[in-house]
């Protein structure tokens, strides 16, 4: 069964610090990998999307990396802000699967002042 | 565009009652998805539509759940009869195409509590 595993489950950091979230997947074949941010009480919002041929993708202070050989991805947040407090969900899709996605369980990040 | 619209935002009901959740996708999007999110299981795809036609409903938990899309701008997810274990946040999402590069746009969700 295709799976997406994320770590850590939760993380607390101080404002201004950097952090890295991890995602391991077994989806094969693999089409692309996305990172979503979900604020409390709201729907997920797409941060980045990478195909198997891309190694890195940035969106402001968010940088995602992808190693398709080891089936690992990371999301690095630089100079964290209080508004970064949210759940971050790794999502993987397979080719020829339409738009069907496999979701990770998410990492809950809390940024404290 | 107002984005994906869902109603109600919160629903509290008693076990055995019928619950209807509503979704208006982004205009022009051909694909509509219903998801359920719980602490234990995370986000799960229930069913998705293409041009108003259900394509895959393998994620629908049981016969108590049904979904319809009578036109391109409206979809419903119905639970009858509801049970406490149905308590979750239900999200509707839409996307323009089935291209795997395409982003799915999520609505704000309906938080359902079945007592």
């Amino acid at each position: 069964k295709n799976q997406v595993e994320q770590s850590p489950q939760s993380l607390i950091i101080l404002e201004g610090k950097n952090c890295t979230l991890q995602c391991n997947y077994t989806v094969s074949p693999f089409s692309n990998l996305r990172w979503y941010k979900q604020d409390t009480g709201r729907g997920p919002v797409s941060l980045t999307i990478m195909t198997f041929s891309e190694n890195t993708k940035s969106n402001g202070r968010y940088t995602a990396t992808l190693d398709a050989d080891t089936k690992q991805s990371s999301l690095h947040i630089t100079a964290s802000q209080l508004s970064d407090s949210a759940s971050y969900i790794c999502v993987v899709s397979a080719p020829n699967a339409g738009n069907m996605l496999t979701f990770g369980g998410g990492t809950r990040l809390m940024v404290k002042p | 565009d107002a984005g994906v619209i869902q109603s109600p935002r919160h629903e509290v009901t008693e076990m055995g009652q019928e619950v209807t959740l509503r979704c208006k996708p982004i205009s022009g999007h051909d694909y509509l998805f219903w998801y359920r999110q719980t602490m234990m299981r995370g986000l799960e795809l229930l069913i998705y539509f293409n041009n108003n036609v259900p394509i895959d409903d393998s994620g629908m938990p049981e016969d108590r759940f049904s979904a319809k899309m009578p036109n391109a701008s409206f979809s419903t997810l119905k639970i009858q009869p509801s049970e406490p274990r149905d308590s979750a946040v239900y999200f509707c999402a839409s996307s323009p195409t089935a291209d795997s590069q395409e982003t799915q746009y999520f609505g704000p969700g309906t938080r359902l509590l079945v007592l």
Side-chain angles (χ1 to χ4, degrees):
Chain A
K1 181 180 178 181
N2 289 330
Q3 286 190 322
V4 178
E5 302 287 341
Q6 292 188 241
S7 62
Q9 283 191 331
S10 61
L11 181 63
I12 301 174
I13 62 173
L14 293 177
E15 185 179 12
K17 297 296 185 182
N18 304 335
C19 67
T20 301
L21 314 180
Q22 301 290 344
C23 173
N24 296 337
Y25 62 92
T26 61
V27 176
S28 183
F30 162 81
S31 178
N32 61 60
L33 184 145
R34 311 153 193 251
W35 282 93
Y36 277 88
K37 178 187 179 187
Q38 184 176 19
D39 292 313
T40 300
R42 310 191 74 163
V45 175
S46 180
L47 290 176
T48 63
I49 179 170
M50 291 181 291
T51 66
F52 65 89
S53 61
E54 295 178 290
N55 300 119
T56 185
K57 183 72 69 78
S58 291
N59 178 359
R61 295 180 296 103
Y62 300 102
T63 299
T65 63
L66 173 64
D67 186 332
D69 291 329
T70 61
K71 294 185 170 57
Q72 295 180 327
S73 175
S74 64
L75 180 68
H76 187 74
I77 305 175
T78 304
S80 61
Q81 300 177 358
L82 298 180
S83 59
D84 293 331
S85 296
S87 288
Y88 292 84
I89 305 172
C90 177
V91 188
V92 180
S93 66
N96 303 320
N99 218 340
M100 294 183 66
L101 310 174
T102 303
F103 290 82
T107 292
R108 187 177 296 275
L109 173 67
M110 180 179 294
V111 180
K112 290 192 168 183
Chain B
D1 199 315
V4 176
I5 298 173
Q6 291 187 247
S7 66
R9 291 296 310 276
H10 299 89
E11 177 81 29
V12 180
T13 190
E14 292 186 341
M15 182 175 63
Q17 296 298 307
E18 177 180 294
V19 175
T20 300
L21 312 181
R22 297 172 176 80
C23 175
K24 182 181 188 311
I26 294 173
S27 177
H29 283 194
D30 290 338
Y31 286 79
L32 183 141
F33 306 81
W34 281 102
Y35 292 92
R36 178 172 66 178
Q37 186 177 41
T38 61
M39 288 292 291
M40 290 295 294
R41 301 172 68 95
L43 268 164
E44 302 173 283
L45 176 66
L46 299 176
I47 184 173
Y48 81 95
F49 295 82
N50 175 24
N51 290 323
N52 314 337
V53 177
I55 302 301
D56 190 325
D57 64 354
S58 59
M60 296 286 261
E62 47 198 274
D63 292 343
R64 297 184 297 107
F65 285 69
S66 62
K68 294 181 179 180
M69 193 164 186
N71 58 63
S73 60
F74 183 66
S75 177
T76 60
L77 178 67
K78 187 174 294 187
I79 309 172
Q80 167 62 18
S82 59
E83 296 181 3
R85 59 194 169 115
D86 301 330
S87 298
V89 182
Y90 291 81
F91 287 103
C92 175
S94 70
S95 68
T97 71
D99 190 319
S100 60
Q101 284 277 75
E102 194 64 72
T103 295
Q104 289 189 18
Y105 297 86
F106 284 76
T110 294
R111 188 174 296 274
L112 173 65
L113 177 62
V114 183
L115 302 174

